[in-house]
Amino acid sequence: MRRIFLDCSISVYLAAMLRHRKSPGCDGILGSNSTLDTCGVCGGDGSSCKFITGTFKDTNIPIGYHKILEIPKGATQISVRELTWSPNYLALRNRSGKSIINGNWAVDPPGKYEAGSTVFSYTQPGREEQEGESFSASGPTSEALDVYETRDSVELGASNTFFFLGFWYPVHQCVSRSSLDEVNEDECDSSTKPFPQEEACNTQPCPAFWDVGNWSVCSRTCGSGIQHRQVLCRQMYANRTTMVHPQRCGNLAKPNVTQTCQLRICSHWEIQSNWSTCSVMCGLGQRTRHVRCISNQGEIVGEGECSNRLRPRNNEACDMGPCVRSWFHNDWSSTCSSECGPGIQRRSVFCLSSSPSDDSQDGCPGNKPSDMRVCNSGPCERTIKWYTGPWSQCSAECDEGSQRRDVICVSKMGSDFNVSDPSECSHLEKPPSLQSCNAGSCGSRWFTTPWGTCSQSCEGGIQVREVRCLAADKTYSHQCDLDSKPDEKKACNPQPCSSVLDDNCRDRYHNCAVVVQARLCVYAYYKQACCSSCAHSLQRRTSEKR
């Protein structure tokens, strides 16, 4: 075992220091023995504050947070407690709405909570102890705080009780007998200073008054409705109001607790049409109907004026049964394919689904019905008749002309046609094969002469003709369409001239030089009679142009 030895001189010195140690007072000075009075004033005599106590006994409070007390700034020796257990909770908030104890519908555990520069001690005894909740603080508080009761049950249980009545203390001052001015307390005999005694203040009751709440929402969203509000008789006690019996406000006119209201004119939904046919021929589809919003005056208004909750459906599902495929056909043709004897009648046959979106022609049950059948129009007999062809065009472009057509005798046996001798149709009236026609008035038209001889045999020349506008009586006219006037000139002989003269190209006229000088080579007669001279003349002119 290890032993510890302590020097005796050191022990004696420490003991001496402990015996002579001084504690600082509330003013921070060692040995001043200054203490805080009940008002929290260092070295004070308890005369600078008011003692407030009271009891809260209102059982008609709504569910939720209900303010019951205001803790003012600078309060000390704070103690708030329930007289007995209840299912409710105490709550504490600052003026900005921040929760300190039991806020936001949550229950905090018992313990220490800082608020207003002081510490609140929160207790929460169980139901077995039959003691109510409490919180206390020594203070002073640096800001005002609000005490709430949180009611979360319909049963109030035992009443919640708090103390908050008002008292004051008289303040005694030393004054001059002659001037009654305040002087230093040293000039008065301190033994004769009266001891401050607590005195009640503001004991007279404040007059009762009607306290009105906010109007409730209108009982109807449209049309005439009713609004309610709470009207309570209240009276002021110790700087707070409390609900009192309505008889105390009997001498006052009670405000209305109800009033009529109308947010807007009522409108209603009107079904304008019956349900439409289903959107499909089979299977699941949709059908619709028209719904509109009508005012009480019968006018169409915006859909926002009617309650969307009460709106009738304007579409719904419809079931037309399962889709199937079937053969469809129309009636047989009314005539037989032949006028006599055997023939054929036809009809159309399709495989269709009851679903319009399915256009496949396959998958129908059973065999396809026949789309043709034999028919008989009776025995065939040989008939004779004149057959006429189509009329030809009118022989004249305008004015009177004629048209022709073929008329032949034809024998028919069933569907067979044969050309017969005209004598077999002699007993029948023969249709005409010629008829007159009129293509309309000729009016004024353009007429032309034949094209003249080309001005050159090679290297391009010009041909000319005369163009005239003539009336129906062959006289000059100005009524022709100028846009359709025929050309009066056109190019000709564009081929190049040959440099080698043909052996047959010889002068057959004794004076061809005069022909060249007279420029008669443009005419075919002189060009042929003086072929050599005209050809050489053309060559010279061509070389000069180059």
Side-chain angles (χ1 to χ4, degrees):
M1 178 180 296
R2 179 180 297 177
R3 295 183 177 180
I4 300 175
F5 296 92
L6 183 65
D7 186 72
C8 292
S9 62
I10 296 177
S11 299
V12 173
Y13 176 74
L14 289 175
M17 286 188 66
L18 290 174
R19 284 196 302 269
H20 293 87
R21 181 179 179 182
K22 296 182 178 180
S23 300
C26 61
D27 54 1
I29 301 175
L30 290 173
S32 66
N33 296 326
S34 297
T35 59
L36 296 174
D37 65 356
T38 56
C39 300
V41 178
C42 183
D45 58 358
S47 62
S48 61
C49 62
K50 294 188 295 184
F51 179 71
I52 301 176
T53 183
T55 303
F56 176 76
K57 292 184 178 181
D58 190 355
T59 59
N60 186 22
I61 59 174
I63 294 176
Y65 287 86
H66 184 73
K67 182 178 176 180
I68 61 174
L69 178 63
E70 175 186 330
I71 300 176
K73 178 180 178 181
T76 59
Q77 305 301 319
I78 304 166
S79 177
V80 180
R81 63 185 180 87
E82 290 181 311
L83 295 182
T84 184
W85 181 90
S86 77
N88 308 316
Y89 299 92
L90 296 176
L92 187 64
R93 295 179 185 173
N94 62 15
R95 282 301 174 86
S96 63
K98 179 181 178 181
S99 296
I100 301 166
I101 300 175
N102 295 338
N104 301 320
W105 297 101
V107 179
D108 296 321
K112 305 290 185 179
Y113 296 88
E114 293 185 5
S117 303
T118 188
V119 178
F120 284 83
S121 178
Y122 172 54
T123 63
Q124 193 183 85
R127 187 168 186 173
E128 296 76 16
E129 291 83 359
Q130 291 297 310
E131 293 182 5
E133 292 186 349
S134 68
F135 52 75
S136 59
S138 59
T141 56
S142 61
E143 63 177 337
L145 302 172
D146 295 327
V147 179
Y148 288 80
E149 181 187 48
T150 306
R151 183 183 179 193
D152 60 354
S153 171
V154 177
E155 298 179 3
L156 185 61
S159 62
N160 298 338
T161 306
F162 308 92
F163 295 93
F164 50 88
L165 292 179
F167 292 88
W168 64 2
Y169 289 89
V171 178
H172 299 91
Q173 297 176 340
C174 183
V175 297
S176 172
R177 291 181 181 275
S178 58
S179 63
L180 298 180
D181 294 333
E182 182 180 356
V183 296
N184 195 301
E185 290 189 0
D186 294 340
E187 299 185 20
C188 290
D189 185 1
S190 59
S191 61
T192 61
K193 182 178 181 180
F195 184 78
Q197 294 183 353
E198 183 180 87
E199 297 179 6
C201 59
N202 292 337
T203 57
Q204 68 279 6
C206 295
F209 63 93
W210 290 111
D211 185 22
V212 296
N214 295 327
W215 288 109
S216 66
V217 296
C218 194
S219 61
R220 298 188 61 184
T221 57
C222 68
S224 180
I226 296 177
Q227 284 178 297
H228 297 269
R229 66 178 176 182
Q230 191 178 43
V231 179
L232 302 174
C233 182
R234 290 186 175 276
Q235 198 167 4
M236 180 73 71
Y237 288 101
N239 295 329
R240 70 173 300 275
T241 63
T242 184
M243 188 176 68
V244 295
H245 197 277
Q247 290 180 348
R248 297 195 183 184
C249 297
N251 61 331
L252 303 174
K254 185 176 181 180
N256 293 332
V257 296
T258 62
Q259 71 175 8
T260 59
C261 55
Q262 179 171 311
L263 299 181
R264 65 175 184 270
I265 298 175
C266 278
S267 301
H268 62 277
W269 294 105
E270 180 182 85
I271 300 174
Q272 189 180 10
S273 63
N274 295 327
W275 287 110
S276 65
T277 57
C278 198
S279 60
V280 296
M281 299 177 63
C282 63
L284 294 177
Q286 291 284 326
R287 63 177 187 172
T288 59
R289 64 182 177 184
H290 186 61
V291 178
R292 60 185 183 178
C293 183
I294 303 295
S295 69
N296 285 343
Q297 287 74 32
E299 299 175 350
I300 300 176
V301 295
E303 294 189 353
E305 296 296 322
C306 290
S307 171
N308 193 51
R309 181 177 59 85
L310 301 177
R311 176 174 181 155
R313 290 181 299 171
N314 59 353
N315 64 80
E316 68 176 9
C318 51
D319 190 351
M320 300 299 290
C323 295
V324 296
R325 302 183 64 80
S326 305
W327 291 108
F328 285 80
H329 60 78
N330 60 353
D331 294 335
W332 291 106
S333 59
S334 59
T335 58
C336 194
S337 62
S338 62
E339 295 181 2
C340 63
I344 294 175
Q345 280 181 300
R346 294 183 179 276
R347 66 179 179 181
S348 298
V349 179
F350 300 100
C351 176
L352 298 176
S353 170
S354 54
S355 172
S357 60
D358 185 3
D359 57 359
S360 174
Q361 295 293 315
D362 302 323
C364 280
N367 296 326
K368 180 180 179 180
S370 175
D371 59 355
M372 65 177 65
R373 70 179 180 182
V374 177
C375 59
N376 196 315
S377 301
C380 294
E381 296 180 358
R382 185 174 181 270
T383 58
I384 298 295
K385 66 177 182 178
W386 291 106
Y387 174 81
T388 58
W391 289 106
S392 65
Q393 290 185 345
C394 194
S395 60
E397 294 182 4
C398 57
D399 291 338
E400 294 292 333
S402 61
Q403 287 179 295
R404 294 182 180 275
R405 68 178 177 180
D406 295 326
V407 179
I408 58 176
C409 183
V410 176
S411 65
K412 181 182 178 184
M413 184 71 172
S415 59
D416 295 332
F417 290 85
N418 294 301
V419 178
S420 301
D421 190 86
S423 60
E424 294 191 52
C425 295
S426 60
H427 65 285
L428 300 173
E429 183 181 0
K430 185 177 181 180
S433 59
L434 180 67
Q435 71 176 7
S436 60
C437 57
N438 192 320
S441 175
C442 289
S444 297
R445 293 182 294 167
W446 292 107
F447 289 86
T448 62
T449 61
W451 287 106
T453 306
C454 189
S455 62
Q456 294 187 174
S457 59
C458 59
E459 292 293 337
I462 295 176
Q463 282 180 293
V464 296
R465 65 179 177 181
E466 188 176 354
V467 179
R468 292 183 181 179
C469 177
L470 302 178
D473 58 356
K474 305 300 183 291
T475 59
Y476 286 106
S477 173
H478 299 285
Q479 302 301 319
C480 295
D481 183 12
L482 294 178
D483 292 336
S484 62
K485 181 180 181 180
D487 293 332
E488 294 180 291
K489 296 181 181 181
K490 71 174 182 178
C492 56
N493 294 335
Q495 72 278 2
C497 297
S498 175
S499 59
V500 180
L501 297 177
D502 192 356
D503 292 339
N504 294 325
C505 183
R506 293 176 293 124
D507 291 339
R508 294 182 176 86
Y509 186 66
H510 67 280
N511 201 3
C512 286
V514 176
V515 172
V516 173
Q517 291 178 0
R519 297 183 179 181
L520 298 177
C521 290
V522 295
Y523 298 100
Y525 171 78
Y526 292 107
K527 186 177 180 180
Q528 185 177 3
C530 300
C531 180
S532 176
S533 296
C534 288
H536 284 92
S537 175
L538 179 62
Q539 288 179 356
R540 282 196 302 272
R541 290 199 305 271
T542 303
S543 349
E544 290 174 359
K545 291 180 180 179
R546 293 176 182 175

